Amino acid sequence: MTVVREGNEAGPGSDELYGRLKAFEGRPAATAGTGKDPVNAPMIRHWCEAMGDGNPAYTGPDAIAPPTMLQAWTMGGLSGHTDRSAAYEELFALLDGAGYTSVVATDCEQEYLRPLRPGERISFDAVIEAVSKRKTTKLGTGHFVTTRMDVRADGELAGTHRFRILKYAPAAKPRSPEKVKPEPAKKAVRPRPVVNRDNAGFWQGVAEHRLLIQRCGGCGTLRFPWLPGCNACGGPEWDTVEASGEGTVHSHVVMHHPPFPAFAPDGEGGPYAVALIELAEGVRMVSNVVGVPYDKVRIGMPVRLEFLRTDPELELPVFRGGEG
């Protein structure tokens, strides 16, 4: 999900429109919505396989659904939902008419009130919770719209889901860039990873060209990414094993937009492949696939660990693929 930071409030002339947008707050976005399927074991299994989550609470006769699947039970799929309210459609028509025709998801918040269990029927209502004043971001100028969905299982409130988007007009590029005095070129650098007490050992291993996987001191389960406790037995004790470096592409996406020059050797910023790599040890990690064109990356492709220095201060584990 793309994260967009709010910028400064845009200039004059927006008060009248903002007043009309503000009037939609509190109005329903969807009413009496129903999940297309009850909570079910196959979807839970697919989710856990994709996430690499082996928590035993999600299997067996007393299984519950992973809490983070909350939104999965309300999604309409390719055919969509037909329960959006007239107010929701009017709000977006008003934004489109004002020139805010592009949309990007910015963030979501979820609150879990009770676990969901296979067989339960899902229903939901949604409300337009907030519309921001006009904001300027790097993508363009627009309004943040927040909706809140209340999710029920067999009629009982099970959780809430807040979803925020930016409806914006894309920032215009200069029409005559040749007349704009160019600024000194700055070398693009990758974002810095967040290093804290829970993962400092992993990054120390990377600095030594070692890919370290946590191993639970209680049940021996391997886990990645690094966590303060075992997600299988809850044990706090652990040590590490060094990955062999062998793996395969479990799934992947190709990033086309927005361009990030630091992520491409040619400096153009993409497209480039981001993959979920299944290591020979059985855990999975997200990384870049290098050594092959982005459109040649395939599920099941064998890859081999190597370490890529992206700038003088950062070295990262990546995986080299072959076109064989």
Side-chain angles (χ1 to χ4, degrees):
M1 186 169 290
T2 303
V3 178
V4 181
R5 293 188 178 185
E6 295 192 22
N8 297 324
E9 187 176 335
S14 61
D15 290 347
E16 188 272 336
L17 175 62
Y18 178 58
R20 295 171 64 189
L21 297 174
K22 190 78 173 174
F24 283 90
E25 292 185 347
R27 297 179 66 181
T31 55
T34 57
K36 290 195 170 184
D37 297 285
V39 179
N40 63 84
M43 284 182 68
I44 294 173
R45 175 173 56 82
H46 289 311
W47 176 280
C48 291
E49 287 182 356
M51 297 298 175
D53 193 339
N55 193 318
Y58 307 143
T59 60
D62 298 319
I64 62 173
T68 48
M69 285 189 74
L70 183 67
Q71 188 188 15
W73 310 111
T74 67
M75 299 182 78
L78 294 177
S79 58
H81 276 297
T82 59
D83 42 41
R84 284 182 174 174
S85 69
Y88 187 88
E89 301 292 351
E90 291 170 13
L91 171 61
F92 276 72
L94 182 59
L95 287 164
D96 288 342
Y100 306 121
T101 54
S102 296
V103 62
V104 63
T106 64
D107 63 282
C108 67
E109 304 169 15
Q110 293 185 339
E111 180 181 8
Y112 313 119
L113 303 178
R114 78 158 180 82
L116 301 176
R117 294 179 172 83
E120 292 183 321
R121 290 281 176 178
I122 299 301
S123 59
F124 56 90
D125 297 289
V127 64
I128 301 167
E129 192 169 65
V131 183
S132 78
K133 292 184 177 181
R134 191 163 63 164
K135 302 290 182 178
T136 298
T137 73
K138 288 186 177 181
L139 288 176
T141 297
H143 295 266
F144 290 86
V145 179
T146 304
T147 55
R148 188 195 76 243
M149 178 179 290
D150 295 326
V151 181
R152 295 175 175 83
D154 290 340
E156 181 182 358
L157 187 63
T160 61
H161 174 81
R162 284 181 173 83
F163 192 67
R164 187 172 295 109
I165 64 170
L166 173 66
K167 278 286 286 180
Y168 67 99
K173 295 182 179 180
R175 291 188 177 183
S176 303
E178 68 281 359
K179 297 181 180 180
V180 178
K181 184 177 180 180
E183 296 182 358
K186 296 181 180 179
K187 180 176 176 55
V189 296
R190 292 204 184 196
R192 307 291 96 173
V194 176
V195 180
N196 54 39
R197 64 182 182 180
D198 292 329
N199 65 12
F202 169 77
W203 290 107
Q204 180 60 41
V206 170
E208 299 168 356
H209 286 193
R210 302 167 65 216
L211 183 62
L212 299 179
I213 303 169
Q214 280 182 309
R215 177 173 57 191
C216 176
C219 66
T221 299
L222 299 181
R223 64 179 186 262
F224 193 92
W226 281 36
L227 297 170
C230 179
N231 54 1
C233 73
E237 303 299 327
W238 55 272
D239 60 5
T240 62
V241 296
E242 183 176 353
S244 66
E246 301 293 337
T248 57
V249 175
H250 181 76
S251 65
H252 72 283
V253 296
V254 175
M255 302 298 295
H256 290 269
H257 185 81
F260 289 104
F263 281 78
D266 59 9
E268 295 299 323
Y272 55 92
V274 179
L276 181 62
I277 305 297
E278 180 154 341
L279 301 178
E281 291 73 19
V283 298
R284 298 171 186 159
M285 67 177 292
V286 176
S287 184
N288 288 121
V289 177
V290 300
V292 294
Y294 69 88
D295 57 351
K296 298 297 183 182
V297 177
R298 295 289 183 269
I299 291 175
M301 171 184 285
V303 292
R304 175 73 186 176
L305 172 71
E306 61 181 52
F307 294 88
L308 174 67
R309 180 164 295 282
T310 61
D311 61 62
E313 299 177 353
L314 183 64
E315 197 164 15
L316 296 172
V318 297
F319 290 84
R320 181 167 294 275
E323 296 188 51

